[in-house]
Amino acid sequence: MRSSSSPEGESLTLDNCAREPIHIPGSIQPHGALLAFDPEGRLTHVSANVTALLGWQPVFGQALAPTDLEGNEAIHALIHQARDEINRDEVVPASQEVRLNGQTFDVVVHANEGLVICEFELRDREADEIASFAQKAYRSLDVLKRQRSEQRLLEGAVQAVREMTGFDRVMAYRFRHDDSGDVVAESVREDLDPYLGRRYPASDIPAQARRLYTINTLRLIADIGYTPVPLLADAARTAPLDLSHSVLRSVSPIHVEYLSNLGVGASMSVSIVVAGKLWGMIACHHMAPKRVPYSIRMAADVLAQLLASSVQSLTAQARAAQVAQAAWLRGEITARMVQGEDPLAALHAHAEPLCRAFGVDALVISLDGKVLTHGIDAGADQAWAAMLPTWLDAQAKAVVHLSRGDQLPHDEDGSAPPYCGVLALRFAASQQGWIAALRREQIETIRWGGKPDKVIAHGPLGPRLTPRGSFDEWRETVRDTAEPWSETQLEIASQLLDAISRGHTDRVMELDRLRSQLWAVLGHDLRNPLQSLSIAANVLDQGDQRGRMSSVIKNSAGRMQRLLRDVLDISRLQNGLGLAMHLEDIDLVALVMQLIEETSVAHPDMRPTHQLPAQLRLQADPGRVSQLVSNLLSNARHHGNGAVHVHLRQDGEHAVLQVSNPAPPIPAEDVGNLFNPFKRQSLGNPRNRTGMGLGLYIAAQIAQSHQGSIAYGHVDGMVLFDVRLPLRPVTGAPADSAPPTGP
C-alpha cells in the first residue's frame, strides 16, 4: 500500500492491505546504505545516501575498482562470494565489520533474483560494547536446550533476547489455527503495561508479510520516525529491486502507523518457523529509536532457530505418543471384533480411552438402530444423542467434524444442542453405523490487544484503511464453539475409521458364513429326531415296545425343543431384544440336583460329582437358570473325559455355581472369545461335531440378564466356569464380576 491516497474510485478494504507489494518498497531505512550488482559485478542499484554515508561516488554500469570503498578487501571478498552464489541459487547472507569514511559498519551481502545486494549498516558508538554481550547470549542457548515444554522454552527465549538486545519489551507470540496470535511469554520494563495473555488478530500480519517472515526470519526497524531513502537504478533496469532478504528494507507506512499507535520507537521481530510454517514470533519493542548490531541480531536468530527445532521435537514427541496410544487402542478394538464381538460392544467397552484419545467429553455409538452413549447426561441430552445418527446420515459424508454449535442439529423444541463439537466416523453406511466424539461448549474470554478492527479513517497519510488507534485491552466472550480438531486427531480418526470399517465388514461376512453353517447344522440335527419320531410312530402302529418308544419320542422332542429355543434366543439377542425373564422364588439346590440326575441318565458316560448345600433360595427365572446349568454341564461333557464336578455355595448376597472338569487350560488367544457366538474353536470338536459355540454365549447372556456374571478359570488342572447370581436382583443394577477361585 503506497503512502499516497488510494487511486480514485478504488474501494478501501482490508484486501488492499493484503495486496501491498511490501517486498519492493523502492526505499530503505536511513541508518545504512545499499548497493546492488549484476552477476558480472556491474553496479545496478544504489541508495541515494551512498555518497554521504560511505564517502564514495557510484557509477551505474561499472564494476568496483580495487581502490573503490577505500580498497576494503573484506567488502570485495563478500561481493565476489555472493556472485558465486547466484549460479547456485542460494540465499546465504554473509557479514563483516568494516571501517569506511571514518565510521564503523556491519556489511551484509546476499544474492537474490540474479543480483548481489550489499548493505552497509551504521553502528552506534556504543555498539561495540553491546556486541560484547553476544557471547553471553550464546550461553543462553544451552539453557534453552534443557527445557522440556513449549512454555518454558518461550519464557527462556524472551528473557534471553531482552538481555542480549536491551529492548524495553520482548514478547513471544504463538499463532493459532486461524492465524491470530497470543502473547504467551513476555519480558518487559517494569513501568510498562504487560501484554501477556493478549490476542492479536490475523489481519495484523497480512499474508504477504507472513511469506516474508518465513524466508527472512529477522527484521529490524531502528527508528519508527525515519525518512525513507529512495533507491536509484540504472536506466536499463526497469524492474523494481526485490528486497525480500534485505536487512534495510523500508517499512510499509501502515505498519509504521501501527507501531506509532503502540507508542513504539523501534522494533525487531524474529520468526519461529516450524516445518516451513510461521509457528510463532519473538517481537521486540523499544520506546525510543534503537539500533542492534548485526552480530547480536544473528545471535537472536540462532536462538529462534534452536527454539523452532526444540518446538518441532516436542511436537513430534507428543504426536508420536498420541499416535502410538491410538494404534494400541485401535488394535484392542479390532481384536475384539475379529473374535466375533459386536462393534457396539467393542467400541463401548473402550469408550473411556477413546474419549481420552480424542480429548472429548462424550461418545455416541450407533448400529442397526441401536444407540449406546458414554458420558452423556440423562434426559434431554440422551434424546438429542438418539437423533444424532439420523442427522449424521443426512450429511452424506464418511467423516463429519464441526466445532460450532450452530452447525449441529437442534432439539425438536428448537433449543440449542448440548454439544458444540463433533467428530463422527461412519463405519457401516447401510446400517447407520456411527461413532461420534462430542465436545461441550468452550466459553472463552479473549483479551484482545485493542479492538480487532481496521477502519477507513483519516490517518497521517490521508483517507485510507487505518490500523486501530488504541491497544488498550478489549475483552470479548466467545460462546457456542468448541476447541477445533487438530490434524493429529483427524489422522487418528481416519485410521480408526479404516480399521473399524474393515473389522465390521469382515465380521458381517463371517457371520453370514456361520449362519449358513448353522442352518445346515440345524437341518441335520432336526432331521435325526424327526426320523426317530417317524420310526417310533410306525412301531406304535404295530403295538409293540410302547415304553421304549415313549422314551424315544420324549428325548427327540426335547432335542428339537432345545434347538428351537437356542435359535429363538440367538434371534432375540442378535436383534437387541434381550431374553424374556420371569423371576420367582426357587431353590437352586433342587434345580441343580435334578439337572445332574437327568444328565447322568441321558449320558451314561458322564461321571458327575457334586458339593451342594441343603438349600439355597434366590429370585430367578427357573427355566433360564436350568438352561444355563444344562449348557455348562453339556460343555464340560463335550470338552472333558466325562468327569464333571458341580460346586454350589452362598457368598454373601450371591449364589456361586462352579462347574469344572479335568482338561488343559484354554489357549490364551481363545479366552477372550469364549462367550461369543459362532466361535471358530467350537467347530470340528470330535465329541460335538455339530457344535456352534452357542451354549456358553447363551449362558453368559442369562447370567447378565439376572445381573450376575460368568467367568472362566483354570485351577489345579481343572477347567472351571464360575457363575455368580444375586439372591435378590435389583432393577437397573449393574452385573457383578469376580474371578473364579476353585471349589
Side-chain angles (χ1 to χ4, degrees), residues 412-436:
E412 293 181 357
D413 61 0
S415 58
Y419 297 89
C420 291
V422 61
L423 173 56
L425 313 175
R426 186 180 64 194
F427 62 87
S430 62
Q431 300 170 272
Q432 204 175 66
W434 287 94
I435 172 171

Side-chain angles (χ1 to χ4, degrees), residues 151 153-156 158 170-173 182-187 196-197:
Q151 185 60 35
L153 277 169
L154 295 170
E155 289 172 354
V158 296
V170 179
M171 300 169 287
Y173 283 90
D182 294 298
V183 179
V184 294
E186 182 182 39
S187 177
L196 183 64

Side-chain angles (χ1 to χ4, degrees), residues 361 418-421 439-443 478-482:
D361 303 297
Y419 297 89
C420 291
R439 283 177 174 167
R440 292 195 178 276
E441 179 184 38
Q442 182 187 51
I443 302 175
V478 178
R479 305 201 55 155
D480 201 34
T481 62

Side-chain angles (χ1 to χ4, degrees), residues 52 133 173 176 328 365:
F133 290 107
Y173 283 90
R176 290 174 169 260
W328 170 84
I365 311 165

